[in-house]
Amino acid sequence: VFCQISLVSSSALSAALFLSTMGAAAATMTLGEAIGIVQQWHSYNQDQLWSKRGYDIGLQSMRIDILNTVREEMRDQVTVIISSLDNLMVVATLMLSIGFGFVVEGTFPPAEKDYDYDDLERQLLIVYAVLAALSLVF
């Protein structure tokens, strides 16, 4: 019981000492010091607000930069695809014109009525005809 009383009395004593010290500090503070403290608090709040706004603007700027990078990458890929399509169109046009030229000009060997082709020549002639037909399709 004595221990609890001494504990309560020591905490009450420290609280009273703290309040008397704060009261003395508050009593010795002048009006100018109080205004200075309020100005510092207001300045700190304004600095914090502007720092948050700066952070938000930096974050938005970073997002815009990322979108610009993605847009430029997509534009580069489209440019590559279009140039490859242009090359494919040129190759297809040349192949089509050459294929029609083969068909119109008649590139097969002349048919001789009394000439018999052996098996190898006949197979090569069939392969040639298939390849000529496929050149028109593809």
Side-chain angles (χ1 to χ4, degrees):
V1 173
F2 176 72
C3 189
Q4 286 179 343
I5 295 172
S6 69
L7 188 61
V8 169
S9 65
S10 69
S11 65
L13 180 64
S14 66
L17 181 64
F18 177 75
L19 287 176
S20 67
T21 306
M22 287 305 293
T28 60
M29 187 181 338
T30 64
L31 181 63
E33 290 173 343
I35 291 173
I37 289 173
V38 171
Q39 283 179 340
Q40 288 176 357
W41 175 78
H42 181 70
S43 175
Y44 170 76
N45 283 340
Q46 289 297 315
D47 288 344
Q48 186 179 14
L49 177 70
W50 283 107
S51 295
K52 186 176 180 337
R53 286 179 183 169
Y55 173 78
D56 290 341
I57 289 173
L59 191 63
Q60 186 176 7
S61 174
M62 183 181 67
R63 288 177 183 157
I64 290 171
D65 289 344
I66 289 172
L67 287 175
N68 285 337
T69 303
V70 168
R71 183 177 51 87
E72 288 175 10
E73 181 66 27
M74 288 176 66
R75 185 182 334 156
D76 291 344
Q77 288 179 0
V78 167
T79 303
V80 168
I81 289 171
I82 288 174
S83 67
S84 83
L85 285 176
D86 288 343
N87 291 338
L88 287 174
M89 285 176 55
V90 167
V91 169
T93 303
L94 289 174
M95 287 181 62
L96 188 64
S97 64
I98 290 171
F100 277 123
F102 281 159
V103 170
V104 171
E105 297 288 325
T107 58
F108 292 109
E112 298 179 14
K113 300 197 188 281
D114 57 350
Y115 183 75
D116 286 333
Y117 293 107
D118 61 358
D119 290 338
L120 178 65
E121 288 178 341
R122 187 172 302 281
Q123 290 175 357
L124 287 176
L125 188 61
I126 291 171
V127 168
Y128 178 76
V130 168
L131 290 176
L134 288 177
S135 71
L136 289 176
V137 176
F138 298 109

